[in-house]
Amino acid sequence: MRIDTIFTNARIRTLDPERPTARSIGTLNGRIVGFDDDLHGVQTDRVVDLDDQPVLPGFHDAHHHLSLTGFRLASLNVRPWAVNSLAELYAAVREYADGLAPDAWVRGSGYDQNFLEGHPTADELDRAAGGRPVILEHVSGHMIVANTRAFELAGYPRREGYPDISGGGIPRDADGRPLGLLQESAMSPIYALVRPMELDDVQRHLQLASDEALRYGLTSVTEPGIGEIRMLGNNPLDYHAYQTAVEKRMLRVRTTLMPYITVLHPFTALPDKEVLGLDLGIRTGLGDDMLRVGPVKIVADGSFIGRSAAMHACFHGESDNFGVLLHEPEQLRDYIVGAHRAGWTVATHAIGDRAITHVLDAIEEAQRVAPRPDVRHRIEHFALASDDDIARAARLGVIPVPQGVFLSDFGDGMAAAVSDDRRDDIYRVKSLADAGIVLNGSTDSPVSDANPLVSLRDMVLRRTGSGAVLGERERVSIDEAVRAYTYGSAYAVSQEGSKGMLKTGMLADFIALSDDLYEIAPERIAEQQVTTTVVGGVVEFGDVG
């Protein structure tokens, strides 16, 4: 027998309980053909010495905005620590704008008012941009700030006459003009100026994000939302853009794509069923190991750090702020039930506990009218959840998709946004596992940096940026965290049969690390480096012999 490659001299943790460790792994046609003694006498085209490094299955980010990550890598960076004040932000805009054509767009992303003196304003951006239109995206992706020139291009000279938009927020001055900040649905008229994005630009952004993902040891990601340019998509031809990027090897990380709910439409050919689908009955599961159609995505509410998540109780210190529902409960129910009946898995963004209630109500109704076993509907974020919410999700087979890294990035601000008695209910993890839910790992990149090692550390330690522990009872072990980021994230998209552990017949996706995460202090996890990333038996990152 002749195979493609033997990777040897490694300390391999397979996460397979039947064969937990190995020293060598053999690959053929992108899959694992054996370990150690299985490879004796086998001929191979290549031997790769991994220099006694620890090896794990490749990481899988269960909620990673790949194209938006690439866009932000290509745009002006105004994240915390890149700019530390509004004055520094405006100076960065001025310097960036000076290098552009007089009518070019100034696009920046990642600002967080919690680390500044407040949100940027249109008037100050006018002064910084030299007459150019400006859009700055909030780190959450749920808000933007636009300057006066951008409003004018949208048809609102001097920012006058900009309408209120259902599901959106628009702070205004004494004359009723927007200050520049637009929240949720209110962003749409401005975003319409820069979307749809050119397909070449989409592919360039995918290449940037793919390269970063491989450096971080990500061999798979789930992209939550494509196709709808008013929300999370780049272009109505998004799937084509991704497919072309794979063919050109610009996209080299396995990707599961979630179309946004509004690209689905009713199937009039089935009058007895209220169903929502794509032409030809395309639904969750279509595709191959490199590019696959995943769940359909819905956004039910806003963000925690932007204080627009839909809550049962008001945000702390804001007696009239209960957040925003982007869809009334009846519409949300119709979306979820309609997609469910057409055979889709549904992944709904729900951060606040009120949004979570409405999503669980809709899923329960969907299963009542059209029972489907092991469908694995998801709730993205599941940020503020009670014991009852967790028990109900487990009973319904719903998979919450929380982000551990949000604890260090935004934990202090999130804790300040709720009453003291709810702080331990923020981004729970251990309680999910205790309820029998399979844990998964994600970063919501580019809201947080895509590095899984930071998220793993935060799942174990649960320390905020100030060093406080948020929800000590929700800490998990490093083994639980690693399994979440590998097997669990594959399970969340029903792909655990091909990835998430290292086992004969499964995909040959694995990474080598600078040190063994199981043997070092948890505080050191985020300091480690991925030295080699292998996807389908091919070294996609790293310099190995």
Side-chain angles (χ1 to χ4, degrees), residues 283-284 295 340 343-346 363 367 370-378 393-399 436-438 487 490-497:
R283 57 178 173 83
T284 302
H340 171 91
W344 287 91
T345 301
V346 182
I363 291 173
Q367 289 286 28
R372 288 172 57 200
D374 197 30
V375 67
R376 301 186 194 175
H377 291 315
R378 302 163 39 136
R395 176 173 60 82
L396 292 172
V398 172
I399 300 176
I437 295 169
V438 176
Y487 175 87
Y491 181 91
V493 283
S494 299
Q495 295 172 25
E496 74 276 11

Side-chain angles (χ1 to χ4, degrees), residues 494-516:
S494 299
Q495 295 172 25
E496 74 276 11
S498 60
K499 59 179 116 171
M501 65 175 66
L502 301 177
K503 188 174 182 178
T504 299
M506 297 182 74
L507 293 168
D509 297 352
F510 52 90
I511 60 172
L513 292 152
S514 54
D515 207 341
D516 190 335

Side-chain angles (χ1 to χ4, degrees), residues 199 203 226 236-247 257 291:
L199 292 175
Q203 292 161 24
I226 63 167
L237 298 178
D238 266 341
Y239 197 96
H240 168 75
Y242 281 76
Q243 190 169 2
T244 303
V246 169
E247 292 165 353
L257 296 174
L291 192 66

Side-chain angles (χ1 to χ4, degrees), residues 295-540:
V296 63
K297 175 69 180 292
I298 305 172
V299 177
D301 69 342
S303 74
F304 214 141
I305 56 177
R307 295 199 172 197
S308 57
M311 312 285 266
H312 283 303
C314 60
F315 281 95
H316 185 64
E318 300 182 32
S319 59
D320 60 346
N321 183 8
F322 293 84
V324 177
L325 281 174
L326 298 191
H327 307 289
E328 291 301 318
E330 296 78 12
Q331 178 64 72
L332 184 66
R333 179 259 179 211
D334 290 346
Y335 277 149
I336 291 175
V337 172
H340 171 91
R341 298 185 84 158
W344 287 91
T345 301
V346 182
T348 309
H349 163 121
I351 287 182
D353 53 0
R354 180 160 58 108
I356 289 170
T357 295
H358 292 317
V359 174
L360 291 173
D361 287 347
I363 291 173
E364 188 159 23
E365 174 67 6
Q367 289 286 28
R368 185 189 68 79
V369 300
R372 288 172 57 200
D374 197 30
V375 67
R376 301 186 194 175
H377 291 315
R378 302 163 39 136
I379 295 182
E380 310 301 300
H381 309 301
F382 205 72
L384 188 70
S386 67
D387 290 345
D388 288 344
D389 294 329
I390 292 173
R392 190 178 180 200
R395 176 173 60 82
L396 292 172
V398 172
I399 300 176
V401 183
Q403 289 69 47
V405 67
F406 281 10
L407 297 168
S408 62
D409 277 356
F410 313 116
D412 292 314
M414 293 189 296
V418 299
S419 58
D420 290 348
D421 64 328
R422 296 304 308 275
R423 290 179 179 177
D424 286 351
D425 290 343
I426 294 173
Y427 280 98
R428 302 173 69 175
V429 179
K430 181 63 173 176
S431 293
L432 303 181
D434 290 345
I437 295 169
V438 176
L439 297 182
N440 53 79
S442 68
T443 58
D444 199 11
S445 178
V447 176
S448 286
D449 186 70
N451 187 351
L453 295 170
V454 178
S455 201
L456 290 170
R457 178 202 65 191
D458 290 349
M459 292 171 73
V460 173
L461 295 178
R462 295 190 65 88
R463 288 181 184 163
T464 69
S466 68
V469 175
L470 187 58
E472 184 173 8
R473 68 186 183 191
E474 299 300 330
R475 285 173 164 169
V476 297
S477 69
I478 184 59
D479 183 63
E480 289 172 304
V482 168
R483 288 179 187 277
Y485 241 102
T486 51
Y487 175 87
S489 293
Y491 181 91
V493 283
S494 299
Q495 295 172 25
E496 74 276 11
S498 60
K499 59 179 116 171
M501 65 175 66
L502 301 177
K503 188 174 182 178
T504 299
M506 297 182 74
L507 293 168
D509 297 352
F510 52 90
I511 60 172
L513 292 152
S514 54
D515 207 341
D516 190 335
L517 304 184
Y518 287 69
E519 301 295 334
I520 61 176
E523 291 80 2
R524 293 185 55 217
I525 293 171
E527 301 170 7
Q528 304 312 309
Q529 300 292 317
V530 173
T531 60
T532 305
T533 302
V534 176
V535 182
V538 176
V539 177
E540 294 287 5

